[in-house]
Structure formats: structure tokens, C-alpha cells
Amino acid sequence: MSSRNPLESKQYELGVKAALTDSVTLTAAAFEVEKGLEFVNADNIYVEDGRQRHRGFELQAQGPFTRDLFLAAGGTYLDTELRRTGD
């Protein structure tokens, strides 16, 4: 059994949270994650080759919708890219 070094990754994130009223909050974050790529190649062999990058942003809001109903909603945009895969 061969030993492998751990994959290296980098992650950056910037976020804010705001209280729009006493009971309604809004959060937003932008992020980027880059790490090694692992996959099964065309020869059906598991390899570590290339990099993968994920960039995006998240937006969430929460607060009372009615007196008896609390609402939380959010969404994420994600842009992904594979680099230097060799295949």
C-alpha cells in the first residue's frame, strides 16, 4: 500500500449579517474554495490530478411572516471549474 500526502486546499469567505428590524435578519457571504481533484480516470484508476475551484455567494433572510409563522429563506449561486485535469 503506497502512502499519499494529504491534498492541499485554500478557502476564503467574507460575510455580513444585518438586523433589518428587531425580528428580521439578512445574511450574505461570498466564498472561494480551491482544492485537489480526485477522480477515476479513463483507465478506471483512481487518481489525484488537477484542481477544482468553487466560487459563489449565499443570501439568507429570516423573520416572522405572520403572527404564527416564522419564515426562513435562502439561496446560493455556485460557479465551479476543473483545472489541469490531464485528461
Side-chain angles (χ1 to χ4, degrees):
M1 179 175 200
S2 65
S3 64
R4 297 186 316 207
N5 292 330
L7 291 178
E8 184 179 311
S9 65
K10 294 179 184 177
Q11 179 173 334
Y12 305 97
E13 184 170 359
L14 177 65
V16 295
K17 183 174 185 177
L20 301 181
T21 68
D22 286 342
S23 57
V24 177
T25 60
L26 179 67
T27 60
F31 60 88
E32 177 174 304
V33 178
E34 185 172 319
K35 61 183 183 174
L37 180 63
E38 301 171 291
F39 60 96
V40 176
N41 67 12
D43 295 324
N44 203 29
I45 298 172
Y46 182 78
V47 297
E48 296 175 4
D49 192 14
R51 304 290 290 169
Q52 56 182 314
R53 182 201 35 87
H54 307 274
R55 282 185 185 159
F57 60 88
E58 302 172 324
L59 184 62
Q60 298 178 351
Q62 58 185 12
F65 188 66
T66 68
R67 187 178 69 126
D68 298 322
L69 180 64
F70 188 84
L71 183 64
T76 301
Y77 170 78
L78 184 61
D79 178 38
T80 63
E81 180 181 354
L82 301 179
R83 300 178 185 179
R84 302 185 312 264
T85 62
D87 284 343

